[in-house]
Amino acid sequence: MYVDGEWVNGSAGEVREVVNPATGEVIARVAEGTEDDARAAIRAARRAFDEDGWAEVTALERAQLLFRLADAIEEHADLLTRLETLDNGKPLREAQFDVADAANCFRYYAGLATKPHGQAVNVPAPSQTFVVREPVGVCGQIIPWNYPLLMAAWKLAPALAAGNTCILKPSEITPLSALMLSRLIHEVGFPRGVVNIVLGAGAVVGQTLAESHDVDKIAFTGGTVTGRKIMQAATGNLKKISLELGGKSPNIVFADADFETAVDYALFGIFANAGQVCSAGSRLLLEASIHDQFVEALVDRAKKIRVGDGFHPDTEMGPLVSQQHLEKVERYIQIGLEEGATLRCGGERVRVDSGGYFLAPTIFTNTRPDMRIVQEEIFGPVLAVQKFEDERDAIRLANDTVYGLAGAVFTSDIAKAHRVIQKLRAGITWMNTYHPTYNETPWGGYKQSGIGRELGTFGFEEYTEVKQINVNLAVKPSGWFRG
Ligand code: TXE
């Protein structure tokens, strides 16, 4: 692990095996962090912020470090890409994209570091008031396994740009690219203690970060159940929280949509990254008049998706991230069958010579809104198709979920597209596309999909406190008390 500028073993001397999901083989043994390790990292981050002067490092210097880190990621892109595929299983093509995006995220926030501006407010004389932004302080950052490097970038880049110090906890399932990132962070010259990367179990290291009174903010991406625990743990010192949680996002296709485009994005929406995407279009809402024809075209293409080892150049969809996760997704397929939905394709493991945790792209039709496969996040390559009659029906079904992360609409009627998007209770929406994500735009959810926003200027602001500074321009006693 990387604590206070050094690589250390876990204080209990324990290790955890890291498994390649495409083969089930152990590919690395990494240090397993303890509560003590988390506390040591918090102390280092505290000292770096309170005493060693990171908070006083100029914005331009922070920007230069972040630019250098982006360059270093690009220089090592090949290795990082391979590590990501090895550890997470995603096809090389996806990993390549993630690595490039991670570099760009650091670059985006490097640019933003020097841009924040406050306000000067005309309050009644004799005062002049200024409003400035300052870093929050020590930030605990807990990330998941579906985009290991990219999630590290989404967390570290805005926090460091704003002048905070960080303790990052990668998922115990996919720690390798974050460890490589720690090398680059060290090499480009971040001062010791500014970034710490602690490995280990969520309930141990993550929980310690969320509970600690020396941590000023906790930022989390992961499941809603864990998000709730983190929110509770954070109450002790009422630390700031931002949560990016799950979803059950609706992808709405009207009969007047461009058919080929809508089929293509319906596939991409649910089967990219084997469906292990918080914003996945896991519910496909089809207008009744095109339902049958659309499902036929979709099933036909889903069956052709090439599932296999991410290192194989032809592979379009990799394995699920772990045996445990595969079993969870399979349980949902069983639930779907028991609930009476129709399995149109998939539903079974794909045999790949290497072994591994491969599942075929799976599509259910004849669903009802109250089914668990329609309501709960499965986080795998499993699509639930729903049928709607008209615009109102589509909106009602789309919002009929506790989640509110993302949603899309496909139609050639631009006014209708806007009407529907306006009514969607979700933070990320698309018209005639699915999934494009930009470092420049805010990412996060309504309802139980989370609190706060990442990316863009919104994501930067989440790592700042706002201070008002009132200046008395008539320096004399107030005279309020006469005695
Ligand atoms: O995620 P967890 P899991 C959803 C998805 C998935 C489900 C469970 O539906 O099937 O969550 O996956 C750390 N205190 N998403 O169990 O638990 C953990 O170590 C502090 C959606 O893998 O959310 C890891 O670093 N931290 C999602 C991180 O939380 C704790 C991405 C995420 O793990 C903790 C992943 C605790 N008590 C899963 N328990 C998305 N929104 O993209 C665990 N952690």
Side-chain angles (χ1 to χ4, degrees):
M1 297 176 288
Y2 183 63
V3 178
D4 206 7
E6 287 173 8
W7 285 276
V8 297
N9 289 319
S11 58
E14 289 181 5
V15 291
R16 181 187 287 267
E17 293 182 336
V18 182
V19 171
N20 175 356
T23 61
E25 285 165 6
V26 174
I27 46 171
R29 286 182 181 78
V30 297
E32 177 73 357
T34 61
E35 287 168 11
D36 282 346
D37 296 315
R39 286 195 200 101
I42 295 168
R43 276 196 302 277
R46 210 46 290 162
R47 196 205 60 240
F49 186 80
D50 294 332
E51 296 163 31
D52 291 357
W54 173 246
E56 282 81 49
V57 168
T58 66
L60 184 60
E61 285 166 328
R62 295 198 304 270
Q64 281 163 337
L65 284 166
L66 290 165
F67 276 126
R68 285 213 287 275
L69 185 55
D71 291 344
I73 290 172
E74 274 174 357
E75 278 158 32
H76 296 84
D78 195 41
L79 180 56
L80 283 164
T81 300
R82 291 173 158 276
L83 270 182
E84 208 72 328
T85 293
L86 197 61
D87 202 0
N88 167 280
K90 62 178 68 194
L92 279 176
R93 186 173 58 158
E94 285 189 38
Q96 254 160 11
F97 186 87
D98 292 357
V99 172
D101 213 19
N104 286 335
C105 182
F106 281 108
R107 212 163 264 140
Y108 170 77
Y109 281 109
L112 209 60
T114 52
K115 310 297 181 296
H117 48 266
Q119 294 176 339
V121 186
N122 285 332
V123 294
S127 280
Q128 173 71 68
T129 294
F130 303 95
V131 182
V132 296
R133 287 193 178 273
E134 295 183 345
V136 178
V138 171
C139 301
Q141 304 180 309
I142 302 170
I143 57 171
W145 40 259
N146 54 341
Y147 291 90
L149 183 70
L150 194 55
M151 288 301 105
W154 282 25
K155 294 282 179 289
L156 292 174
L160 295 170
N164 299 276
T165 58
C166 302
I167 306 113
L168 179 80
K169 194 204 88 63
S171 166
E172 51 274 50
I173 305 175
T174 54
L176 301 185
S177 54
L179 281 179
M180 175 69 194
L181 185 68
S182 72
R183 260 182 57 190
L184 305 181
I185 285 168
H186 190 82
E187 278 167 24
V188 301
F190 278 91
R192 56 188 283 224
V194 169
V195 181
N196 305 273
I197 298 185
V198 183
L199 308 181
V204 178
V205 174
Q207 184 79 13
T208 304
L209 294 178
E211 280 175 359
S212 170
H213 288 214
D214 288 323
V215 172
D216 301 303
K217 175 188 162 89
I218 196 92
F220 170 72
T221 299
T224 298
V225 173
T226 307
R228 213 167 269 133
K229 284 186 200 157
I230 288 172
M231 196 167 172
Q232 274 160 0
T235 56
N237 66 333
L238 292 173
K239 60 173 67 63
K240 311 278 173 277
I241 51 172
S242 48
L243 304 174
E244 204 269 90
L245 309 175
K248 194 75 186 177
S249 300
N251 183 7
I252 307 166
V253 182
F254 284 95
D256 60 3
D258 184 280
F259 191 85
E260 291 303 313
T261 305
V263 170
D264 185 72
Y265 278 108
L267 276 186
F268 186 57
I270 183 61
F271 298 127
N273 209 22
Q276 303 167 122
V277 185
C278 53
S279 54
S282 49
R283 290 187 296 138
L284 179 64
L285 276 59
L286 296 176
E287 189 159 5
S289 60
I290 56 162
H291 176 277
D292 294 354
Q293 191 198 357
F294 199 97
V295 167
E296 210 170 295
L298 193 69
V299 167
D300 184 48
R301 286 198 58 189
K303 284 180 178 165
K304 292 183 184 142
I305 291 176
R306 285 178 293 231
V307 179
D309 190 322
F311 280 102
H312 197 285
D314 288 340
T315 293
E316 294 177 314
M317 195 175 100
L320 295 183
V321 77
S322 67
Q323 173 79 29
Q324 202 189 4
H325 190 54
L326 171 68
E327 286 167 9
K328 177 195 151 174
V329 176
E330 284 182 321
R331 272 199 299 283
Y332 270 108
I333 291 170
Q334 194 51 40
I335 288 167
L337 291 170
E338 285 161 14
E339 286 177 318
T342 307
L343 181 66
R344 292 297 304 263
C345 65
E348 72 225 334
R349 294 187 188 189
V350 178
R351 294 178 80 77
V352 173
D353 289 345
S354 57
Y357 317 129
F358 298 93
L359 193 65
T362 300
I363 298 177
F364 279 109
T365 56
N366 286 327
T367 64
R368 289 187 317 274
D370 63 336
M371 287 179 172
R372 286 183 63 193
I373 58 160
V374 174
Q375 290 296 333
E376 297 176 19
E377 183 176 55
I378 299 175
F379 220 62
V382 181
L383 179 68
V385 180
Q386 298 177 269
K387 202 189 274 188
F388 67 85
E389 296 302 329
D390 56 23
E391 198 176 315
R392 254 184 83 191
D393 197 26
I395 293 164
R396 185 183 59 79
L397 286 172
N399 286 329
D400 182 20
T401 162
V402 298
Y403 293 112
L405 189 58
V409 58
F410 284 78
T411 170
S412 53
D413 178 344
I414 192 70
K416 180 159 66 181
H418 276 279
R419 283 197 305 271
V420 173
I421 292 293
Q422 242 176 37
K423 293 281 181 202
L424 268 193
R425 303 287 296 158
I428 304 151
T429 63
W430 297 288
M431 293 181 194
N432 293 321
T433 184
Y434 207 99
H435 271 333
T437 304
Y438 304 102
N439 288 315
E440 295 81 356
T441 54
W443 184 271
Y446 286 25
K447 303 199 276 184
Q448 292 188 33
S449 287
I451 296 176
R453 293 293 178 270
E454 300 196 276
L455 300 182
T457 55
F458 295 86
F460 183 86
E461 285 169 5
E462 297 270 342
Y463 283 98
T464 64
E465 291 276 21
V466 174
K467 178 182 280 178
Q468 56 166 292
I469 304 169
N470 298 291
V471 184
N472 184 358
L473 301 177
V475 183
K476 58 178 187 183
S478 74
W480 184 268
F481 295 109
R482 295 196 193 93

